[in-house]
Amino acid sequence: MELKKDSNAVSIDMLLIVHSEKRRAAQGAHMDSQADPGALLQRRGGFQGVGNGIRKWQKLEGNELYGNLAEKQHPQQPQVITSYDNQGTQLTVEVHPRDAMPQFLKKFSLAKRLQGDKNGNMRPRQPGGKDAHAYPWDRSSLKSMPLDLRQFEKLDTYASQVTVKSGLDELVSDLLQEAHSDLERVRAIWIWICHHIEYDVEAAQEKDRQAFKPTDILRTQKTNCDGYAGLFERMCRIAGVHCVTVPGYSKGFGYQTGQSFSGEFDHAWNAVHLEGRWHLVDSTWGSGLVDTATSKFTFLYNEFYFLTHPALFIEDHFPDNKNWQLLKPPQSLRQFENNMYHKSEFYNKGMLSAHPETSMIRTVNGKATITIESCAPTLFMFMLNGKQEHGLLSLRKNGMKLDVYPPTMGTHKLQIFAKGNSDIYSSVLEYTIKCNYVDLGVRLPAELHQPVGPSWFSEQMGIVKPSHPDPIIHTSDGRCSISFGVEEGISVLASLHGDDGPITEETQRRYIFQLHREKRTELKVQLPHAGKFALKIFVKKRQEPGNYIFVFNYLLCCANTKVNWPVFPESFGNWGQDNELLEPLSGVLPANRNVPFKLKLHGIAKALVKGQDTWPLTLNHEGYWEGSCSTAGCQEVYVMVLENANHNFYSYILKYKVNAQ
């Protein structure tokens, strides 16, 4: 035993080997609570540390310290008991059967694995200034040490496939076959636990959490966070790597934005000593997640919690001892409670920052604005109170901007999701919005989907150089014309959606007339009435099967209550991509009138207009087909074309309705 004392801390390094014939004496010594501040806890053998400043007690093997160690005839596993107090003191005791070599001495030579410092200390120092990282995060790395994850590919594959044959010692031995450094040893253990141990939701929700023995964890392959941390520590010790369990508070399963923390700690994780510094890991959260709706655990490996940068780890982990934050300056519990919680997927998907930086937002004039900065173009979506409504989300090259307009006063839940490089949107941020004023003039269409306005994504999908780069278009007369370049082989489809008026699925596209001119598409839009409308844009590669894909939409706004435009004429399949209609643009013609027609049609031999009678169109010197038609005595008028002069079959390309007399 060595006692080291300075002005800040006291550390005790002790290795206690108890043989069976000396058990009685050891028992007597431990019954003296003055000799061992944790003796009262050992009677209970659990996690509830009380008295003498001890906040968490972990017992990694199941027998009581005072149990009969010599009852079993087969070789017994050593007991390891570790305790911590709130001043950072750690006490570890190993109890071994008679004639047994301490586990970490048996596996590795003393000279190789337990080289002491110049003062003879065998355990690493408590965390100090050398371990501290600057706060806030400097955006340099998600990790606390330089890592190239590609170097772990072979080791990760191997470790994830190792199976349990007998006990913990043999498992660790098998895992270390491909590990050649302390970092690789820790990595192999981490990967195996994250891919094989399931989170026991029922056990975690029990009031008196049971202590999980490593042997039981290997058998059931289920445990709670204490079991994860204890197993990780035990396996690291067998591998000869210094590791401790750190208890504390967490923003994990069941966490509510803005909640406060008090009383018993709800989580445990680990610190490992690598390359002269302490580093943080959480194998519980690295293994998967719990569905909040079903309370079911799903294996979903999360790299984020392996050697996490402390300035990021503190967002959802608050240790009982501030030294284990590994931060300079350390954060207070109040700061931990109030700081914005960026979920691990926020950083996994390349986010850098978000504003506001507080989880509680108050609206200003009925609006709340959120911006996110990312290191690469990213797709986002949001949900306000579980619905994708009441917001305008526009994509930026490196992030997004979201304006939210809560429909009622009170408290609202805002969730923001990001897609990143995967095909799945993951929750990255949650805000609580408090609204004390509703702007009744801002009512967004329910069909206004995200994103709003053109962006890098629309360019990626083949729509370039839009005439209207802003997401909102205001029109005073209820009409507008929008154009953009379209890459070769891309077809465009558009539809109009509003909350008021009898706009059916059939007529959603009839208020839009699509024209193509020299690799640009023009959308002529006529609104049926005043209000706000979503103009949705879809694309599809012409040569590929499947449906059109939604790309973005515009928000069209018109305050003129006199607006009452009719639909455009109905077009058929033979209406060519490069055809152009100049007149008439209204799909409803007046009765008993001569109506002029002017169109540009490509690749046809003849064109005519058919009402009560047939009226031919003639080709002028500018390349337009012109003529007129009487609407007398008819309810519908059609434009028809003959594509081949040697044939007599005409095709319908446009259809007009005639007003009743």
Side-chain angles (χ1 to χ4, degrees):
M1 177 187 300
E2 178 177 357
L3 181 65
K4 180 182 178 181
K5 187 172 184 179
D6 59 29
S7 60
N8 296 319
V10 174
S11 63
I12 299 177
D13 297 322
M14 178 170 65
L15 171 63
L16 176 63
I17 304 175
V18 181
H19 295 280
S20 58
E21 63 266 29
K22 299 179 181 178
R23 177 172 50 83
R24 187 179 303 260
Q27 176 177 343
H30 283 281
M31 287 299 289
D32 181 1
S33 62
Q34 298 302 317
D36 180 2
L40 295 177
L41 298 174
Q42 298 176 39
R43 291 180 180 273
R44 301 168 63 182
F47 294 95
Q48 309 302 322
V50 294
N52 295 320
I54 297 179
R55 305 295 299 275
K56 181 70 73 174
W57 184 269
Q58 182 146 9
K59 186 174 179 181
L60 298 181
E61 286 293 327
N63 294 332
E64 290 288 341
L65 179 63
Y66 314 116
N68 188 344
L69 301 178
E71 286 181 353
K72 297 182 180 180
Q73 297 301 316
H74 54 80
Q76 300 178 37
Q77 296 290 328
Q79 286 185 272
V80 179
I81 304 172
T82 305
S83 71
Y84 312 86
D85 72 5
N86 54 15
Q87 299 302 318
T89 304
Q90 173 178 317
L91 176 64
T92 300
V93 178
E94 291 193 11
V95 183
H96 295 265
R98 180 174 39 143
D99 299 328
M101 178 69 71
Q103 197 66 23
F104 56 89
L105 296 182
K106 179 175 67 176
K107 281 284 180 184
F108 305 94
S109 70
L110 179 63
K112 180 179 180 181
R113 302 305 305 157
L114 291 175
Q115 294 177 349
D117 61 20
K118 63 182 181 180
N119 296 319
N121 295 320
M122 293 303 170
R123 293 187 53 77
R125 54 177 172 70
Q126 289 294 308
K130 182 179 179 180
D131 305 281
H133 294 254
Y135 184 89
W137 183 47
D138 60 6
R139 301 186 178 186
S140 60
S141 173
L142 301 183
K143 302 296 185 182
S144 55
M145 64 187 300
L147 286 183
D148 181 358
L149 295 179
R150 293 172 296 182
Q151 75 183 72
F152 295 131
E153 289 178 356
K154 181 180 178 181
L155 178 62
D156 289 355
T157 301
Y158 169 80
S160 64
Q161 297 173 353
V162 171
T163 58
V164 179
K165 297 176 182 177
S166 58
L168 198 60
D169 290 350
E170 186 175 1
L171 172 62
V172 174
S173 178
D174 290 342
L175 286 172
L176 301 191
Q177 294 300 315
E178 297 293 331
H180 307 293
S181 66
D182 280 354
L183 173 60
E184 291 185 351
R185 294 182 185 97
V186 170
R187 180 72 179 189
I189 293 169
W190 155 270
I191 287 292
W192 188 89
I193 291 178
C194 289
H195 287 81
H196 290 85
I197 305 303
E198 177 182 348
Y199 186 73
D200 193 332
V201 180
E202 293 183 2
Q205 293 176 341
E206 294 177 356
K207 290 185 178 180
D208 296 323
R209 298 205 305 269
Q210 59 176 310
F212 282 83
K213 307 177 189 177
T215 51
D216 290 340
I217 297 175
L218 293 188
R219 176 177 54 82
T220 64
Q221 300 211 341
K222 295 177 68 174
T223 188
N224 59 11
C225 60
D226 298 293
Y228 274 101
L231 180 63
F232 188 88
E233 177 180 347
R234 182 64 184 278
M235 293 176 73
C236 283
R237 287 180 176 275
I238 294 175
V241 178
H242 291 297
C243 177
V244 298
T245 296
V246 181
Y249 296 123
S250 69
K251 296 179 180 178
F253 176 64
Y255 168 73
Q256 298 294 323
T257 302
Q259 79 174 58
S260 58
F261 294 87
S262 62
E264 183 66 26
F265 296 117
D266 61 5
H267 194 43
W269 55 93
N270 297 100
V272 290
H273 199 260
L274 297 170
E275 299 182 7
R277 297 182 74 178
W278 285 104
H279 303 269
L280 302 169
V281 298
D282 187 341
S283 56
T284 308
W285 292 5
S287 62
L289 50 82
V290 177
D291 189 315
T292 54
T294 63
S295 295
K296 299 295 184 181
F297 173 81
T298 300
F299 277 107
L300 186 63
Y301 176 71
N302 193 343
E303 173 64 37
F304 180 77
Y305 291 105
F306 179 74
L307 307 185
T308 315
H309 194 292
L312 305 181
F313 204 76
I314 192 62
E315 293 202 21
D316 47 20
H317 293 73
F318 188 83
D320 68 330
N321 183 335
K322 66 179 181 181
N323 291 336
W324 287 115
Q325 294 182 25
L326 307 184
L327 288 177
K328 184 179 182 180
Q331 301 294 287
S332 68
L333 180 59
R334 179 63 61 87
Q335 288 174 304
F336 174 73
E337 293 171 343
N338 294 336
N339 283 348
M340 184 64 208
Y341 171 35
H342 304 93
K343 298 185 178 183
S344 61
E345 285 301 286
F346 181 90
Y347 298 106
N348 284 338
K349 293 185 180 296
M351 309 298 106
L352 296 173
S353 65
H355 297 277
E357 296 181 341
T358 58
S359 58
M360 187 76 69
I361 307 175
R362 295 187 182 275
T363 59
V364 177
N365 296 325
K367 180 178 75 170
T369 300
I370 295 92
T371 59
I372 292 180
E373 181 185 0
S374 60
C375 59
T378 305
L379 289 175
F380 294 89
M381 61 170 283
F382 77 92
M383 296 184 77
L384 184 68
N385 302 325
K387 296 182 179 180
Q388 297 183 53
E389 298 178 358
H390 309 295
L392 296 175
L393 189 154
S394 55
L395 298 176
R396 297 173 173 178
K397 186 175 182 181
N398 292 100
M400 70 87 172
K401 178 185 177 183
L402 171 63
D403 290 327
V404 180
Y405 303 88
T408 61
M409 291 189 293
T411 301
H412 303 266
K413 180 180 180 180
L414 174 65
Q415 297 170 285
I416 299 177
F417 304 82
K419 194 172 185 181
N421 295 325
S422 67
D423 294 330
I424 301 174
Y425 281 92
S426 300
S427 176
V428 295
L429 284 178
E430 287 188 9
Y431 286 96
T432 297
I433 298 179
K434 290 193 174 182
C435 179
N436 55 11
Y437 169 78
V438 175
D439 187 349
L440 299 179
V442 181
R443 183 181 177 187
L444 303 178
E447 288 292 323
L448 186 71
H449 291 171
Q450 313 306 319
V452 179
S455 66
W456 62 266
F457 179 65
S458 53
E459 288 186 7
Q460 182 177 297
M461 299 300 290
I463 295 179
V464 298
K465 298 180 179 179
S467 60
H468 294 68
D470 294 330
I472 302 177
I473 299 175
H474 294 274
T475 170
S476 58
D477 64 355
R479 296 184 296 179
C480 64
S481 178
I482 303 165
S483 65
F484 38 77
V486 180
E487 292 184 357
E488 189 71 27
I490 298 294
S491 294
V492 177
L493 185 68
S495 60
L496 188 70
H497 304 261
D499 288 338
D500 300 322
I503 298 182
T504 64
E505 184 175 354
E506 178 183 358
T507 59
Q508 282 173 353
R509 298 185 182 94
R510 296 287 305 281
Y511 290 96
I512 307 165
F513 200 80
Q514 191 167 323
L515 303 173
H516 300 271
R517 299 174 181 170
E518 299 179 355
K519 295 184 179 182
R520 285 189 70 82
T521 292
E522 181 183 2
L523 302 176
K524 292 182 177 294
V525 182
Q526 296 181 164
L527 300 181
H529 52 77
K532 293 182 174 63
F533 297 84
L535 177 63
K536 294 187 176 182
I537 312 295
F538 304 82
V539 300
K540 176 183 177 298
K541 290 186 178 180
R542 294 174 189 165
Q543 304 301 322
E544 294 184 2
N547 299 323
Y548 280 82
I549 300 172
F550 170 74
V551 180
F552 72 97
N553 42 208
Y554 284 105
L555 175 64
L556 307 185
C557 303
C558 179
N560 187 348
T561 57
K562 296 181 180 180
V563 166
N564 185 23
W565 290 105
V567 295
F568 286 102
E570 182 179 357
S571 61
F572 298 100
N574 287 337
W575 176 261
Q577 285 277 343
D578 296 324
N579 290 346
E580 182 180 349
L581 174 65
L582 270 69
E583 57 178 350
L585 289 175
S586 173
V588 181
L589 303 179
N592 302 317
R593 297 277 295 272
N594 281 328
V595 179
F597 282 77
K598 187 175 183 180
L599 310 90
K600 179 169 283 188
L601 306 172
H602 298 275
I604 66 167
K606 294 182 179 180
L608 58 85
V609 179
K610 185 178 185 305
Q612 183 74 13
D613 298 313
T614 299
W615 308 83
L617 300 177
T618 58
L619 184 64
N620 67 19
H621 66 280
E622 295 177 343
Y624 289 96
W625 292 85
E626 291 182 302
S628 62
C629 165
S630 173
T631 60
C634 60
Q635 296 179 336
E636 296 174 339
V637 172
Y638 295 89
V639 178
M640 307 174 68
V641 297
L642 179 68
E643 297 179 359
N644 191 325
N646 297 322
H647 296 164
N648 294 320
F649 179 76
Y650 280 79
S651 301
Y652 294 93
I653 60 172
L654 293 176
K655 176 184 177 181
Y656 293 84
K657 289 186 177 182
V658 178
N659 266 331
Q661 297 183 9

